[in-house]
Every structure is written in C-alpha cells, then in structure tokens.
Amino acid sequence: MWTLECDSPILESKLFHHLRQNAGLSRQIVGKRIWLRPGKKYLFGRTKEQSSRTSSGFKIEDKSVSRKHLTISVSPVKPGTGSQVHSRSEITLEDDKTKFGTEIDGQRLASGARKVLKNDEHTFKLGKTSHTFRIKWQPVVLSVSFSSKEIKAGKDPLAALRSRLEDTDIKVINTYVIGSTTHVVQPKRNTAKGLQALINGKYIVTDSFVDALIYATTPGDLDADESLSPLEEDFVHNWPDAMQHLPPKGNEPKERPAEKFAPDPERISVFEGYTVVFCDKVQFDTLQPPIVNGGGKALYFQLRSRQTTTDELVGFVKNVAGEKGLGELEDGSEGKGVVVVKFRGNTKEDLDWAARLGSEASLALDLRFIEQNEFMDAILMNDASVLRRPLESALHDGTTPRPQD
C-alpha cells in the first residue's frame, strides 16, 4: 500500500483541521500520513479551493507552486496479483509544465516530465517550498491458516478473501513467506504459521482483523465519488490495532497475557544452539519451518512400528548430541542441546508400544520429552531452555508425569 506524508499540516482534512483548531490537537498527532488508493490521481497545486485538501488533490499556498503543479497517479491493481507478494500498483509523478519545477529524491524533474517510482521510498518538493513530501510503500501480506478440511474441500479457500482485498494492494496467501508476511490470520494462537509470525516479530490475528481492514479501506459513502476511506483520511490513526484482534486462548500449557504476543524482533534466534528430534513425520513437517526460522535444527528419526528399540532411539539422540555410547546425556540435559518431542503411535496397536518406548528412552537419557504445544511458550518468553530439562527436575515440578511401573 502506497502512503504519503509531509513535514507540514498540508495533508490535514477539513475534519482534522477543525478538530485541531477546537481541541488543541498538535500537528504531530493530526493528518500526517494518508493512503494513496490504487486507481486514483492526486493533484497538487495553488488552486482556488478554500480547503487545504480536497478529494482529488492538495492546495499549497506558495507563489512558486503552479495552480496545477504535480499529479500523482496510482495505477489500479492488476487482476490476479492478489497472491503475488512482490507485486504492487505503479505510482507515477508528473510535472504539469511548471515554472519553478519539481524535485524528486533531490533531483530536478524536467518541466512536463513524468517519472515512475521504483523504490520503496521517495521524497519530492514543489517549486521553492520547504515542504518535503514522502511516499512510502508499506507491504501488507496476510498469511491465512486453514483447517485440513477446508484445504481438502477442492475450492480455493482464499478466493473470496482476495476478491475483497485485491483492489487495495493487500496480498493474501496460504503460506508463510519469511520477509514478506506481515500478519498471520488464524482462528487459534498455537499454529505453525503463528509460531513463525512470533519468531519474526509479526502479528497473529483473527478474521475480525480482516473485517477491520476492509472497513478502513472502504469509502464512507459509496455513492459519493468524493468520499474517502478512513485510511485516506489518516493512515496511522485509522489502521486497525492488530493486538485487539488476537486469537482466543487454546490448549496452551501456560497462559500468557496478551501483551506477550506483541512483535519482538529479539525472538529471531530463540532456537539457536538447539536441535529438535521428531519421531513423528507430521510433527516434523509442521514444526521444522519455525524451528529453523528461529535459528535451530530439526531432525527426523523414523520409527519402525513395534520394532525400534530403546537403545536405537537413545543412540540416535546421543549421536546428535555428539556423544558416544548409551546412558544419560553427559551434559546433564540442561541448557542448549538436543530436545526430543513426544510421539504417539499411528494406530491403536502402536499406542502402548510408543508410550513405553518414549518413557524408557526418556529415563535412559534423563531428558524430559516435550509436547509439541510447548514451543509457543518458549518463543513468547524468548527462552528455549524450558524445553530441555533433566527428567528428575521435571518430575519434581509436575511438568512431566511420573512413569508407572
């Protein structure tokens, strides 16, 4: 989404001008940044309009500014690009054969010339004014989580959502793309995409956030051409607060306050120095991306139904830890190192065998095997050491049930 801001109150609407005059609101608060809607043109000049801002442009009171000085054109979004995270509407600046010219990124634009902006951020000035305008590209990419039932239904589950958001330059995808995804939309907190969002300092939100986005990009009066959407009035103050759309609590092992789900860039290395061993392929495929994203390693040890022995599993874990032989881990099973995720049999007949194998291996290694839903808390607290503790201390604090004889 393209936005425009200025170091003066030129971008204030009539409403905000009235509020500032009557309520004493400062220029730092009011009318500093607006959304440039795809498919629209914005005229800058010394027009005869009495307001400082109209539906089609901005009035600048300066003799060096022509009556029609500069036009910003934002192209419509190309159909079918609603899932292309690197695509965006084209934005063009055109000087209207002015006397004192236009400056873009410190360079003079020839009279009557036009320039397509290619970078994520640009500045421009008109005539001899001191006002600096800044155009920024703010990507909004929603990665949506769906249930396996929705995915297997055959239809594109994102089609309806894209049709509502594509024209705004907001992208909607069903995967998590590192460096592109800005929000993960999901019905619950603890999902693989949600873990990656937390690791990368992004938001996790529910469908209500999408509804808020649609409201913020929709003009107040659809029958009036001059009507503006809330984001065109004030982008900063009308942008939906993602923290107000946090998914509801689920089966997380520990309850954390909502503020713990706020973006934190420090989490990007939360799993650094840890190797997580999975014995369940579905778990491995699901959780490998966030573990690797957080700087850790994920390995898959394939079990042979009712054939894999305790010594084989213990030997694999010890080998991963760089140790030889069997028995307890030499490092005391504390701090950074190998983490093993609990596994269960795929069939009813395998349940008892898998439980016994896991219990015996855990005792042999003196290492607590963790549940897959424990990763989120480690990420929220930016402390993966809670995942790797000796079995005895876990038994004492009640985090691991005591094996039955």
Side-chain angles (χ1 to χ4, degrees):
M1 303 176 80
W2 290 107
T3 64
L4 175 70
E5 56 188 294
C6 186
D7 57 6
S8 75
I10 288 174
L11 301 183
E12 291 180 10
S13 65
K14 291 181 181 179
L15 171 62
F16 285 129
H17 179 73
H18 173 78
L19 288 172
R20 185 164 63 84
Q21 291 294 103
N22 291 277
L25 298 178
S26 69
R27 290 182 181 179
Q28 284 73 30
I29 296 176
V30 180
K32 294 292 291 185
R33 191 178 181 195
I34 64 171
W35 174 43
L36 300 178
R37 178 183 288 276
K40 290 191 68 171
K41 292 185 177 182
Y42 299 86
L43 174 65
F44 294 73
R46 188 169 44 83
T47 67
K48 293 182 180 180
E49 297 288 343
Q50 293 185 354
S51 62
S52 62
R53 175 183 176 188
T54 68
S55 61
S56 60
F58 308 91
K59 180 183 178 181
I60 302 175
E61 297 280 9
D62 191 286
K63 293 182 179 180
S64 69
V65 175
S66 301
R67 291 188 62 223
K68 293 184 178 181
H69 195 106
L70 177 76
T71 298
I72 294 180
S73 300
V74 187
S75 70
V77 177
K78 294 180 180 179
T81 60
S83 61
Q84 299 176 14
V85 297
H86 298 298
S87 70
R88 57 191 184 189
S89 54
E90 185 177 85
I91 189 165
T92 304
L93 272 60
E94 184 173 3
D95 181 275
D96 196 12
K97 300 179 180 179
T98 61
K99 180 178 180 180
F100 293 100
T102 301
E103 182 183 287
I104 301 177
D105 297 330
Q107 301 295 319
R108 198 74 169 176
L109 183 65
S111 177
R114 62 194 301 270
K115 181 175 182 178
V116 177
L117 304 185
K118 299 293 187 181
N119 297 327
D120 292 341
E121 184 174 329
H122 297 269
T123 60
F124 67 89
K125 292 183 177 181
L126 307 180
K128 297 181 180 180
T129 65
S130 59
H131 308 308
T132 299
F133 292 89
R134 191 175 305 275
I135 294 176
K136 290 183 179 180
W137 170 252
Q138 177 163 320
V140 182
V141 179
L142 310 180
S143 293
V144 185
S145 285
F146 292 100
S147 66
S148 57
K149 182 178 179 181
E150 290 174 305
I151 295 174
K152 293 177 181 177
K155 298 180 180 178
D156 181 2
L158 294 177
L161 197 53
R162 288 194 188 108
S163 68
R164 301 173 71 190
L165 292 172
E166 185 173 79
D167 290 344
T168 67
D169 248 347
I170 295 175
K171 310 303 179 185
V172 183
I173 57 178
N174 60 7
T175 57
Y176 189 96
V177 180
I178 299 173
S180 294
T181 294
T182 58
H183 302 76
V184 168
V185 183
Q186 55 190 26
K188 56 185 180 180
R189 297 182 180 184
N190 202 346
T191 71
K193 288 190 183 75
L195 298 184
Q196 283 197 272
L198 293 171
I199 288 170
N200 286 281
K202 307 301 180 183
Y203 291 100
I204 57 174
V205 295
T206 60
D207 290 339
S208 62
F209 179 77
V210 178
D211 294 335
L213 276 181
I214 292 171
Y215 172 82
T217 56
T218 301
D221 185 351
L222 295 175
D223 295 326
D225 291 338
E226 69 275 10
S227 180
L228 300 174
S229 69
L231 292 185
E232 290 175 279
E233 286 280 5
D234 189 313
F235 187 87
V236 174
H237 293 89
N238 290 323
W239 182 259
D241 181 1
M243 293 301 294
Q244 298 300 315
H245 301 273
L246 186 67
K249 302 170 185 175
N251 64 341
E252 296 82 15
K254 291 186 179 180
E255 185 175 323
R256 299 295 182 185
E259 54 266 26
K260 285 294 183 182
F261 290 83
D264 180 0
E266 295 296 322
R267 298 182 183 131
I268 192 63
S269 59
V270 62
F271 295 126
E272 187 175 309
Y274 291 88
T275 299
V276 182
V277 175
F278 293 90
C279 298
D280 183 296
K281 188 63 163 60
V282 174
Q283 289 180 340
F284 173 74
D285 291 339
T286 301
L287 292 168
Q288 182 190 31
I291 291 170
V292 173
N293 197 173
K297 296 179 181 179
L299 298 176
Y300 172 56
F301 177 71
Q302 186 173 5
L303 299 177
R304 302 185 315 279
S305 177
R306 283 167 282 175
Q307 295 182 41
T308 298
T309 66
T310 301
D311 286 350
E312 287 175 325
L313 177 54
V314 170
F316 180 84
V317 175
K318 293 272 287 186
N319 183 61
V320 170
E323 300 179 13
K324 296 181 179 180
L326 301 176
E328 296 180 8
L329 289 168
E330 297 170 10
D331 62 5
S333 306
E334 293 183 293
K336 295 185 177 182
V338 181
V339 174
V340 182
V341 180
K342 285 184 179 180
F343 49 90
R344 293 167 178 82
N346 295 322
T347 65
K348 185 178 180 180
E349 292 76 15
D350 284 346
L351 289 177
D352 291 340
W353 167 77
R356 185 171 60 256
L357 175 64
S359 179
E360 291 174 355
S362 178
L363 285 169
L365 291 164
D366 187 27
L367 178 69
R368 182 180 74 93
F369 286 13
I370 69 165
E371 299 284 356
Q372 64 172 347
N373 65 356
E374 295 183 49
F375 286 102
M376 188 180 74
D377 197 66
I379 295 169
L380 290 176
M381 305 309 293
N382 195 22
D383 180 13
S385 67
V386 297
L387 302 176
R388 190 168 191 273
R389 300 170 58 195
L391 183 61
E392 192 60 31
S393 67
L395 290 172
H396 284 314
D397 68 15
T399 57
T400 295
R402 185 175 296 275
Q404 300 297 313
D405 294 331

